[in-house]
Amino acid sequence: MIRFDTDYTQGAHPRILQRLAETNLEQTIGYGEDEYCRQAADRIREACKAPGAAVHFLVGGTQTNTTVIASALRPYQGVLSADSGHINIHETGAVEATGHKVLALPVQEGKLTAAQIAEYVDWQALNDSAEHMVQPGMVYLSNPTEVGTIYSKEELTAISTVCKSRGIYLFLDGARLGYGLMCPENDLTLEDLAKLCDVFYIGGTKVGALFGEAVVIVNDRLKRDFRYNIKQHGGMLAKGRLLGIQFLTLFEDNLYFEISAHAIELARKLKRGLSELGIPFYMESPTNQQFVILPDTVCQELSKSFAYEYQERMDESHSAIRFCTCWATSEEQVQALLAELKRLKEGAA
Amino acid sequence: MIRFDTDYTQGAHPRILQRLAETNLEQTIGYGEDEYCRQAADRIREACKAPGAAVHFLVGGTQTNTTVIASALRPYQGVLSADSGHINIHETGAVEATGHKVLALPVQEGKLTAAQIAEYVDWQALNDSAEHMVQPGMVYLSNPTEVGTIYSKEELTAISTVCKSRGIYLFLDGARLGYGLMCPENDLTLEDLAKLCDVFYIGGTKVGALFGEAVVIVNDRLKRDFRYNIKQHGGMLAKGRLLGIQFLTLFEDNLYFEISAHAIELARKLKRGLSELGIPFYMESPTNQQFVILPDTVCQELSKSFAYEYQERMDESHSAIRFCTCWATSEEQVQALLAELKRLKEGAA
Amino acid sequence: MIRFDTDYTQGAHPRILQRLAETNLEQTIGYGEDEYCRQAADRIREACKAPGAAVHFLVGGTQTNTTVIASALRPYQGVLSADSGHINIHETGAVEATGHKVLALPVQEGKLTAAQIAEYVDWQALNDSAEHMVQPGMVYLSNPTEVGTIYSKEELTAISTVCKSRGIYLFLDGARLGYGLMCPENDLTLEDLAKLCDVFYIGGTKVGALFGEAVVIVNDRLKRDFRYNIKQHGGMLAKGRLLGIQFLTLFEDNLYFEISAHAIELARKLKRGLSELGIPFYMESPTNQQFVILPDTVCQELSKSFAYEYQERMDESHSAIRFCTCWATSEEQVQALLAELKRLKEGAA
Amino acid sequence: MIRFDTDYTQGAHPRILQRLAETNLEQTIGYGEDEYCRQAADRIREACKAPGAAVHFLVGGTQTNTTVIASALRPYQGVLSADSGHINIHETGAVEATGHKVLALPVQEGKLTAAQIAEYVDWQALNDSAEHMVQPGMVYLSNPTEVGTIYSKEELTAISTVCKSRGIYLFLDGARLGYGLMCPENDLTLEDLAKLCDVFYIGGTKVGALFGEAVVIVNDRLKRDFRYNIKQHGGMLAKGRLLGIQFLTLFEDNLYFEISAHAIELARKLKRGLSELGIPFYMESPTNQQFVILPDTVCQELSKSFAYEYQERMDESHSAIRFCTCWATSEEQVQALLAELKRLKEGAA
């Protein structure tokens, strides 16, 4: 079985494992106050050209989203999200569990627009019943999105401008950030994110780490006492240095970007191959998630030797499914998948 | 200024005020454990032909919805609601503030359908990512709905059947229940509600009381320790007998139904008059809320002497607005509104 | 049965009922934005000599405490309270239900001290594990306290100074405020409260109203969007003018203070009588709650004709119980209670 | 600097690291549904002789405590805990953040008693104001406790009996469980815990793992949909197999118990050494945490080469501090600490 269902089917990049082994018996202070975390934070600040940013390391994405959102909102505020947003669909109501509504707006390709945000915020603010409604206090974007698309610098700038003018925070979920930054279609940099967002995170779990997400807080108002929030949400790892060591390794020698580029290269090979096989795409994605539409009979056969993720039923006999490449995917795996799809396609013909 | 904006612009039915005055200096135990509350609960159980039901009195609608929903759901469960549902739009995220997602489904005329509910519940339950999603634990309906429509016995029976088969609770918000029960198009009775729902409430605030909602809990599993939930949500009125006295008065001599019928009669006169004026309706409503579409210029003029509620922008120059009759509306007020609309219409022509 | 168990056994002061009847059929806008609420707020601002204060009307005490506290604290903050504080014991965890810990400090006579607060706040702030602890963000006081005692101006000033110097809010629960302000031992005024507290409330439920608490917000930071919080916590009464009318009546012609003084006068007569009977006091209280220690046998006999509230077991055969006077208590009721106690005492002898 | 401040200053037992390296490039399904988690759960069920138990793996202690408690309690219930309990003091109000009060009872040596629990539960249940109080729904114990003490089988049996008779859950926090089970004074086994508790967890973070806690749910009522709760609380590790691999390694070849025994052996050597130096103990602890009272001057000197944890101020010139041994502590480290203390003691003399 070769797995293309997600981008977290394997462990960590070998250099990370090696570093963990080398440092294993060192004694450090706990809870992220060690030297490795400090150095990793410095590297990330440098990479973002944001010397004043606060950098914190959490274990996983749901935890990170919840902690950031709950710490930023007032009790009666909610967070605007694409209806396809991870916080809206796939976090078991974690944001609501902290008392805040996810204000889901309908989107087509996983992306909110500046106009859409402005319209909603203004509509609520000027409504006769404004006080009876949840007030938007933050915008949540994922980049890349849950369907593999990315925001352009122009789009993100427009959203940032709307947020600033309305006094609401902009938060970018970068669980797959590396895969977004390294695709040729992308024109955003870490530096841009640090300028345009109030807070964002750089995902490690899906990009080479065993686990871990690095939160970068740019807006001073969000910095205060953030560690209290981390602790309360169960995100303060006792052996915090594990996170520091991992991110230090990822942000040394360009590793984070190199392994992201590797995944993108293979995703493009996969995409080209799928295209050559005449398989229709569910979504035009430039990143490591590729979505195609296949007959259910093909899906069933395929599942005997390849794992994919089910996305959506398209019609009575077709489904949309997802393939992910990642830092650890090999060329051979991609070729094997394409060969099998070719075989199934010919068999079906 | 004559107000048609809501159905709670005035005080209480005079018989209620009189009763409050007569009993004012009686001393009773607090928190709803007095004799008036007991008697009122008995009357309501009789009216519902539900001798085993638990009846509790709360002060307002948002409080009641929140208390019922939060007490019924497990932490990872949400409540299914029409996207136009009061809990989804007009309660400042009160349900989410207790940790639960409102799972909003798109509806046309304010009403969920059994098929829609079944489809959503089954989709979540069978989803590969089920555990990453909020599990529906309850269905919330309002009857009449926020746009004045009502559920038929057949529709409610179908919904009840779906809920029972999937093991989720059915909760009906009856903030305007009297106005629904007393319109000619209605074929539901309190007895039906007690059979089909797990819990519902009979609204007093909008139907003759100063304030107050009577929660009727039919399902035994929801009865346990319900008063703890009321207290925790700030809904346990110290002088609880005020609620008992009001509901006792409303459920003596058929008062609740008589005053509801009065409002419906005037709503029908208003509807007929609007229709005769050729004013288009935004929604076909058989109850005390009537929604029409008017030119913005007319709205502006009208607002000088009549209060209405703004509903929605229809196009660049037209808006949908709402008129409510209630137990206290007079025939003269309705005629005055129609006369003014006629005048404005003719002026516009 | 004559009830001395609580101070909310009866309805409202007759002048309030009369006002409600007179205004019953007036039409007003809902949710507290009517003229009566505006006028009542003005009167209260005048009484407090706090022209810049925001005044809001809520229905009950638990709701008010919860709304104020939850709107003021950051997610990781808690509220300091006497361990005997109402929010700590008698609100079914309503504060915790909003996500905040009640940081209970041990007290003897219902009162926190400035030193105690300073010590706790400093201990937490300087603790090595500070981020692993709940940060105190507010001090909650009740005045009069749950055991009838009151804060002196000196004591409250000292507490206020500690709060300001540590950057935490001071909130005073005045559910029985009138009874505190009107006792001869008191040297605090509404004006003092408005100067020393960030927010406090003037209780109506226990002092002449059918229900209602008037929140006075002095600190600007707590004013923002407070109505959103009220709505979310289910405290925004649809017919908000009911609250406005009641508080307007209470703050016209000095009514609030007169009826409070009446209760205090009778409490003093009761206290003197109890003292003359040689009945030991559980607590030295200058206000409308009087606590005595009686043999269980006397309690049992007494309960046949008088309602009191059980406070605490003192030893195997004695209990502490509470008697409350209120705005509606009559001299005859007090004499009847004393006479019965005398009879029982002589019987026991 | 040699660290004795906590038991999580180092990485993981080398065998765990090796296993992680060996399996690093295997592809598995995520979120704890892989084969390693399944096998680890089986091993733990065997070790507990509880074939019907549900076993789940979470990342950290605060997260585990919060998830277990919030999933078990009804909204108006709280959890009984020693006032020194970790959830009461050192989790930044994480339990309260889920809406539940920690009902803290005063204890002397970190331990609740059956009598104390029974008294509180009965007092609340029979109280006139029961519905105004938080209802205890669960008892939280830590074993070993935060001050190193342990429960005997007799004590835990008595507590379990009280819980069962009152219908409340018993939850045991075993963050340091191995160190409790392996000390000579202990007479409890994993099998006993599975019989006496409704749910407990076996700590990995402090006992040889990089991170991880294994929750063992024995009571069927607590099993339902537990994974939803894990996900909602951000505790569902994407690469869940990391937890499975670690616990599988710990529960193969007795590793968990061996390394725990090692820490205990060194703790006893340390304890004996401290005793021989005439250093007074703050607490009589049989486990890996040793608490002593030292002059502040000694503490200060000591801190130049040894890390300890500050516990409490004893008087103007003395403090209580904590030393922890763990699976990775070496005999040399213990001897170095004792030597330094001896040197400082002699210097002080």
Side-chain angles (χ1 to χ4, degrees):
Chain A
M1 171 75 67
I2 301 179
R3 305 196 73 96
F4 281 93
D5 48 342
T6 71
D7 26 25
Y8 40 86
T9 62
Q10 286 145 304
H13 189 276
R15 252 196 262 167
I16 283 179
L17 273 198
Q18 189 190 333
R19 253 308 179 67
L20 290 175
E22 287 166 6
T23 59
N24 189 49
L25 292 182
E26 285 179 23
Q27 287 194 307
T28 63
I29 195 172
Y31 300 117
E33 298 193 307
D34 61 280
E35 193 50 37
Y36 294 109
C37 286
R38 212 162 289 149
Q39 288 180 26
D42 284 344
R43 292 287 163 95
I44 286 172
R45 275 186 284 264
E46 286 162 23
C48 299
K49 297 201 175 64
V55 177
H56 298 278
F57 302 104
L58 285 88
V59 173
T62 295
Q63 189 181 81
T64 304
N65 286 331
T66 307
T67 304
V68 168
I69 293 168
S71 73
L73 297 180
R74 291 169 162 249
Y76 53 88
Q77 293 182 325
V79 57
L80 282 166
S81 164
D83 56 7
S84 57
H86 207 257
I87 57 167
N88 191 44
I89 303 191
H90 279 127
E91 302 190 353
T92 322
V95 169
E96 289 86 357
T98 68
H100 301 285
K101 192 179 186 74
V102 176
L103 299 161
L105 299 180
V107 299
Q108 289 307 326
E109 300 187 340
K111 289 159 67 180
L112 290 171
T113 67
Q116 193 177 27
I117 293 166
E119 186 189 21
Y120 190 91
V121 174
D122 295 346
W123 169 74
Q124 190 275 330
L126 300 174
N127 202 292
D128 281 349
S129 299
E131 295 165 344
H132 298 243
M133 302 168 81
V134 173
Q135 185 183 81
M138 180 176 249
V139 168
Y140 164 90
L141 307 178
S142 26
N143 189 44
T145 68
E146 293 74 10
V147 289
T149 53
I150 56 171
Y151 286 87
S152 70
K153 186 166 176 178
E154 189 183 344
E155 290 168 337
L156 193 65
T157 303
I159 291 173
S160 178
T161 302
V162 164
C163 287
K164 280 188 173 53
S165 68
R166 269 73 176 179
I168 62 179
Y169 296 118
L170 177 56
F171 168 41
L172 186 143
D173 168 342
R176 294 188 170 93
L177 190 55
Y179 302 137
L181 295 179
M182 296 314 288
C183 76
E185 291 81 352
N186 173 63
D187 65 351
L188 280 168
T189 63
L190 282 178
E191 191 181 350
D192 294 330
L193 297 187
K195 278 190 185 136
L196 298 172
C197 302
D198 295 288
V199 51
F200 64 99
Y201 76 88
I202 301 171
T205 300
K206 291 170 177 160
V207 192
L210 287 174
F211 55 86
E213 323 294 323
V215 178
V216 181
I217 308 182
V218 185
N219 187 319
D220 284 343
R221 273 180 299 160
L222 297 177
K223 289 176 188 168
R224 177 178 157 192
D225 291 339
F226 192 74
R227 282 173 52 83
Y228 281 82
N229 289 302
I230 297 176
K231 177 63 187 169
Q232 189 180 66
H233 287 283
M236 194 175 277
L237 195 64
K239 299 178 182 175
R241 104 267 197 84
L242 301 177
L243 290 159
I245 291 165
Q246 292 186 86
F247 274 96
L248 188 54
T249 309
L250 287 171
F251 278 83
E252 274 175 355
D253 306 327
N254 234 22
L255 183 62
Y256 188 73
F257 303 100
E258 274 172 23
I259 62 179
S260 296
H262 168 81
I264 291 302
E265 193 193 331
L266 289 179
R268 296 177 85 81
K269 285 188 178 164
L270 174 59
K271 190 178 178 180
R272 204 176 316 124
L274 292 165
S275 186
E276 286 166 8
L277 287 170
I279 295 174
F281 288 90
Y282 164 81
M283 183 66 55
E284 166 58 34
S285 158
T287 59
N288 76 315
Q289 302 177 80
Q290 294 298 321
F291 298 83
V292 293
I293 298 169
L294 287 173
D296 293 338
T297 49
V298 170
C299 288
Q300 207 172 337
E301 270 305 295
L302 183 66
S303 69
K304 291 177 182 165
S305 38
F306 290 87
Y308 56 80
E309 189 157 291
Y310 187 87
Q311 175 76 8
E312 196 182 336
R313 173 144 300 286
M314 300 310 289
D315 63 33
E316 275 186 17
S317 59
H318 290 77
S319 296
I321 64 171
R322 181 182 75 167
F323 301 123
C324 291
T325 63
C326 75
W327 60 275
T329 307
S330 69
E331 172 106 26
E332 291 69 35
Q333 290 173 325
V334 171
Q335 296 310 339
L337 172 59
L338 288 170
E340 174 69 357
L341 282 167
K342 190 173 179 211
R343 194 185 68 80
L344 292 174
K345 200 158 191 261
E346 287 164 355
Chain B
M1 172 73 69
I2 303 179
R3 306 196 72 95
F4 281 94
D5 49 339
T6 70
D7 26 24
Y8 41 87
T9 63
Q10 286 145 304
H13 190 276
R15 249 196 265 168
I16 282 179
L17 271 198
Q18 189 190 332
R19 250 316 176 62
L20 290 175
E22 288 167 5
T23 59
N24 189 48
L25 292 181
E26 286 180 22
Q27 287 194 308
T28 62
I29 195 172
Y31 301 117
E33 297 193 307
D34 62 279
E35 192 51 37
Y36 293 109
C37 285
R38 213 161 287 148
Q39 287 179 28
D42 284 344
R43 291 287 162 95
I44 286 172
R45 274 186 284 264
E46 285 163 23
C48 299
K49 297 201 175 64
V55 177
H56 299 277
F57 302 105
L58 284 88
V59 173
T62 295
Q63 190 181 80
T64 304
N65 286 332
T66 308
T67 305
V68 168
I69 292 167
S71 73
L73 297 181
R74 291 169 162 248
Y76 54 86
Q77 292 183 327
V79 56
L80 282 166
S81 164
D83 56 7
S84 56
H86 206 257
I87 56 168
N88 190 44
I89 303 191
H90 280 127
E91 303 191 353
T92 321
V95 169
E96 288 87 357
T98 68
H100 301 284
K101 192 179 188 74
V102 177
L103 299 161
L105 299 180
V107 299
Q108 290 308 325
E109 301 186 340
K111 291 159 65 179
L112 290 171
T113 66
Q116 195 177 25
I117 294 166
E119 186 189 20
Y120 189 91
V121 174
D122 295 346
W123 169 74
Q124 189 275 330
L126 300 175
N127 202 293
D128 281 349
S129 300
E131 295 165 344
H132 298 242
M133 303 170 79
V134 174
Q135 186 184 81
M138 179 176 250
V139 169
Y140 164 91
L141 307 178
S142 25
N143 189 44
T145 68
E146 292 74 11
V147 289
T149 53
I150 55 171
Y151 285 87
S152 70
K153 185 166 176 178
E154 190 182 343
E155 290 167 338
L156 193 65
T157 303
I159 290 173
S160 179
T161 302
V162 163
C163 286
K164 281 187 173 56
S165 68
R166 268 72 175 179
I168 63 179
Y169 295 118
L170 178 55
F171 168 41
L172 187 141
D173 168 342
R176 297 187 168 94
L177 191 56
Y179 302 138
L181 295 179
M182 297 313 289
C183 77
E185 291 80 352
N186 173 62
D187 64 351
L188 280 169
T189 64
L190 282 178
E191 191 180 350
D192 293 331
L193 297 187
K195 278 189 184 136
L196 298 172
C197 301
D198 294 289
V199 51
F200 65 99
Y201 78 87
I202 302 170
T205 300
K206 292 169 178 162
V207 193
L210 286 174
F211 56 85
E213 323 294 324
V215 178
V216 182
I217 307 181
V218 185
N219 187 319
D220 284 341
R221 272 179 300 161
L222 296 177
K223 291 177 186 166
R224 176 177 158 192
D225 292 337
F226 192 74
R227 282 173 53 83
Y228 281 82
N229 289 302
I230 297 175
K231 177 64 186 168
Q232 189 180 66
H233 287 282
M236 194 175 278
L237 195 64
K239 299 179 182 174
R241 103 271 195 87
L242 301 177
L243 289 161
I245 291 166
Q246 292 187 86
F247 274 95
L248 187 54
T249 310
L250 286 172
F251 279 85
E252 273 175 359
D253 308 327
N254 234 21
L255 183 62
Y256 188 74
F257 302 100
E258 275 172 23
I259 62 179
S260 296
H262 168 82
I264 291 302
E265 193 193 330
L266 289 179
R268 298 178 84 80
K269 286 189 177 163
L270 175 58
K271 188 179 180 180
R272 206 175 315 124
L274 292 165
S275 185
E276 285 166 8
L277 287 170
I279 295 175
F281 288 89
Y282 164 82
M283 184 65 56
E284 166 59 33
S285 158
T287 60
N288 76 315
Q289 301 176 82
Q290 294 297 322
F291 298 84
V292 293
I293 298 169
L294 287 174
D296 294 338
T297 50
V298 172
C299 288
Q300 208 172 335
E301 269 305 295
L302 183 66
S303 70
K304 293 177 181 165
S305 40
F306 290 87
Y308 56 81
E309 187 156 292
Y310 186 87
Q311 175 76 9
E312 193 181 339
R313 174 143 300 284
M314 300 308 291
D315 62 34
E316 276 185 18
S317 60
H318 291 77
S319 296
I321 65 170
R322 181 182 77 166
F323 300 124
C324 292
T325 64
C326 75
W327 60 274
T329 308
S330 70
E331 172 106 28
E332 291 67 34
Q333 292 173 323
V334 171
Q335 296 309 338
L337 172 59
L338 289 170
E340 176 68 357
L341 283 167
K342 190 171 180 215
R343 193 185 70 79
L344 292 173
K345 198 156 194 262
E346 287 164 356
Chain C
M1 171 76 67
I2 302 179
R3 305 196 73 95
F4 281 93
D5 48 342
T6 70
D7 26 26
Y8 41 86
T9 64
Q10 286 145 304
H13 189 276
R15 250 196 264 169
I16 282 179
L17 271 198
Q18 189 189 331
R19 252 311 178 66
L20 289 175
E22 287 166 6
T23 58
N24 189 48
L25 292 181
E26 286 179 23
Q27 288 193 307
T28 62
I29 195 172
Y31 300 117
E33 296 192 308
D34 62 279
E35 194 49 38
Y36 294 109
C37 285
R38 212 161 289 147
Q39 288 179 28
D42 283 344
R43 292 287 162 95
I44 286 172
R45 274 186 284 263
E46 286 163 22
C48 298
K49 297 200 176 65
V55 176
H56 299 277
F57 302 104
L58 284 89
V59 173
T62 295
Q63 189 181 83
T64 304
N65 286 332
T66 307
T67 304
V68 168
I69 293 167
S71 73
L73 297 181
R74 291 169 162 248
Y76 53 87
Q77 292 182 327
V79 56
L80 282 166
S81 164
D83 57 5
S84 57
H86 207 256
I87 56 167
N88 191 44
I89 303 192
H90 279 128
E91 303 191 354
T92 323
V95 169
E96 288 87 357
T98 68
H100 300 285
K101 191 179 188 75
V102 177
L103 299 161
L105 299 180
V107 299
Q108 289 307 325
E109 299 186 343
K111 290 159 64 180
L112 289 171
T113 67
Q116 193 176 26
I117 294 166
E119 185 189 22
Y120 190 91
V121 174
D122 296 345
W123 169 74
Q124 189 276 330
L126 301 174
N127 201 292
D128 281 348
S129 300
E131 295 165 343
H132 298 242
M133 302 171 79
V134 173
Q135 186 183 79
M138 180 176 249
V139 168
Y140 164 91
L141 307 177
S142 27
N143 188 46
T145 68
E146 294 73 11
V147 290
T149 53
I150 56 171
Y151 287 87
S152 70
K153 186 168 176 176
E154 188 183 345
E155 290 167 337
L156 193 65
T157 303
I159 290 174
S160 179
T161 303
V162 163
C163 287
K164 279 187 175 56
S165 69
R166 268 73 175 179
I168 62 179
Y169 296 117
L170 177 56
F171 168 40
L172 186 142
D173 169 343
R176 296 189 168 92
L177 189 57
Y179 302 137
L181 295 178
M182 297 313 289
C183 77
E185 291 81 351
N186 173 63
D187 64 353
L188 280 168
T189 64
L190 282 177
E191 191 182 348
D192 294 330
L193 297 187
K195 279 191 185 133
L196 299 171
C197 301
D198 295 288
V199 51
F200 65 99
Y201 77 88
I202 303 171
T205 300
K206 291 168 178 163
V207 192
L210 286 174
F211 57 86
E213 322 295 323
V215 177
V216 182
I217 308 182
V218 185
N219 187 319
D220 285 340
R221 272 180 300 160
L222 296 177
K223 290 175 186 169
R224 176 178 158 192
D225 292 338
F226 192 74
R227 282 172 53 83
Y228 281 83
N229 289 302
I230 297 176
K231 176 64 186 170
Q232 188 180 68
H233 287 283
M236 193 176 277
L237 194 64
K239 299 179 181 172
R241 103 268 197 86
L242 300 177
L243 290 159
I245 292 166
Q246 293 186 85
F247 273 95
L248 188 55
T249 310
L250 286 171
F251 279 85
E252 276 174 355
D253 307 327
N254 234 20
L255 183 62
Y256 187 75
F257 302 100
E258 276 173 21
I259 62 181
S260 296
H262 167 82
I264 291 302
E265 193 194 330
L266 290 180
R268 296 177 85 80
K269 286 191 176 161
L270 175 59
K271 190 177 177 179
R272 204 176 316 124
L274 292 165
S275 185
E276 285 166 9
L277 287 170
I279 294 175
F281 288 89
Y282 164 82
M283 183 67 54
E284 166 58 32
S285 158
T287 60
N288 76 315
Q289 302 176 80
Q290 294 296 323
F291 298 83
V292 293
I293 297 169
L294 287 174
D296 294 336
T297 49
V298 171
C299 288
Q300 206 173 338
E301 268 307 295
L302 183 66
S303 70
K304 291 176 183 166
S305 38
F306 290 87
Y308 55 81
E309 188 157 292
Y310 186 87
Q311 176 74 9
E312 195 182 337
R313 173 141 302 283
M314 301 308 291
D315 63 32
E316 276 185 18
S317 59
H318 290 77
S319 297
I321 65 171
R322 181 183 76 165
F323 300 124
C324 292
T325 63
C326 74
W327 59 275
T329 308
S330 70
E331 172 105 28
E332 291 68 35
Q333 290 173 325
V334 171
Q335 296 309 337
L337 173 59
L338 289 170
E340 176 69 359
L341 283 167
K342 189 172 181 212
R343 194 184 70 78
L344 292 174
K345 197 155 194 264
E346 286 166 354
Chain D
M1 171 75 67
I2 302 179
R3 304 196 74 95
F4 281 93
D5 48 341
T6 70
D7 26 26
Y8 40 86
T9 63
Q10 286 145 303
H13 190 276
R15 249 195 264 168
I16 282 180
L17 272 199
Q18 187 190 334
R19 251 311 178 67
L20 290 175
E22 287 165 6
T23 59
N24 189 48
L25 291 181
E26 286 180 23
Q27 287 195 308
T28 62
I29 196 172
Y31 299 117
E33 296 192 308
D34 61 278
E35 192 52 35
Y36 294 109
C37 285
R38 211 160 290 147
Q39 288 179 27
D42 284 343
R43 291 286 161 94
I44 286 172
R45 275 186 283 266
E46 286 163 23
C48 298
K49 297 201 175 68
V55 176
H56 299 277
F57 301 104
L58 284 88
V59 173
T62 295
Q63 189 181 82
T64 304
N65 286 332
T66 307
T67 304
V68 167
I69 291 168
S71 72
L73 297 181
R74 292 170 161 250
Y76 53 88
Q77 292 183 326
V79 57
L80 283 166
S81 164
D83 56 6
S84 57
H86 206 257
I87 58 167
N88 190 45
I89 304 191
H90 280 127
E91 303 191 353
T92 321
V95 169
E96 289 86 356
T98 67
H100 301 284
K101 193 179 186 73
V102 176
L103 300 160
L105 300 180
V107 299
Q108 291 307 325
E109 300 185 341
K111 290 159 66 180
L112 290 171
T113 67
Q116 194 177 26
I117 295 166
E119 185 190 20
Y120 190 91
V121 175
D122 296 345
W123 169 73
Q124 190 275 331
L126 300 174
N127 202 292
D128 281 348
S129 300
E131 295 165 342
H132 298 242
M133 303 169 80
V134 173
Q135 187 183 79
M138 182 178 246
V139 169
Y140 164 91
L141 307 177
S142 27
N143 189 47
T145 69
E146 293 74 10
V147 288
T149 53
I150 55 171
Y151 286 88
S152 70
K153 186 167 177 178
E154 188 181 345
E155 290 168 337
L156 192 66
T157 302
I159 290 174
S160 178
T161 302
V162 163
C163 287
K164 281 188 173 55
S165 68
R166 270 71 175 180
I168 63 178
Y169 296 117
L170 177 56
F171 168 40
L172 186 143
D173 170 342
R176 295 188 169 92
L177 190 56
Y179 302 137
L181 295 179
M182 296 314 288
C183 78
E185 290 81 351
N186 173 64
D187 64 353
L188 280 168
T189 63
L190 282 178
E191 190 181 351
D192 293 331
L193 297 187
K195 279 192 183 133
L196 298 172
C197 301
D198 294 289
V199 51
F200 65 99
Y201 77 88
I202 301 170
T205 300
K206 291 168 179 164
V207 192
L210 287 174
F211 56 85
E213 322 295 323
V215 177
V216 182
I217 309 181
V218 185
N219 187 319
D220 284 341
R221 273 179 300 161
L222 296 178
K223 290 176 187 169
R224 176 177 156 191
D225 292 338
F226 192 73
R227 282 172 54 84
Y228 281 82
N229 289 302
I230 297 175
K231 177 63 186 168
Q232 189 180 68
H233 287 283
M236 193 176 278
L237 194 64
K239 299 179 183 174
R241 104 266 196 87
L242 301 177
L243 291 159
I245 291 166
Q246 292 185 86
F247 274 96
L248 187 55
T249 310
L250 286 171
F251 279 84
E252 274 175 356
D253 306 328
N254 233 21
L255 182 63
Y256 187 74
F257 303 99
E258 275 172 23
I259 63 181
S260 296
H262 168 82
I264 291 303
E265 193 193 330
L266 290 179
R268 296 178 85 81
K269 286 190 177 163
L270 174 59
K271 189 177 179 180
R272 204 175 315 123
L274 293 164
S275 185
E276 285 167 9
L277 288 170
I279 295 174
F281 288 88
Y282 165 81
M283 183 65 56
E284 166 59 32
S285 157
T287 59
N288 77 313
Q289 301 176 83
Q290 294 297 322
F291 299 84
V292 293
I293 298 169
L294 288 173
D296 294 337
T297 48
V298 170
C299 288
Q300 207 171 337
E301 270 304 297
L302 183 65
S303 69
K304 292 177 183 167
S305 38
F306 290 86
Y308 55 81
E309 188 157 291
Y310 187 85
Q311 174 76 9
E312 196 182 336
R313 172 142 304 284
M314 300 309 290
D315 63 34
E316 276 184 20
S317 59
H318 290 77
S319 296
I321 64 170
R322 180 183 76 166
F323 300 124
C324 292
T325 63
C326 74
W327 59 275
T329 308
S330 70
E331 172 105 27
E332 290 69 34
Q333 291 173 324
V334 171
Q335 296 310 336
L337 172 60
L338 289 170
E340 175 69 359
L341 283 167
K342 189 171 181 214
R343 192 184 70 80
L344 292 173
K345 197 154 194 264
E346 285 165 356

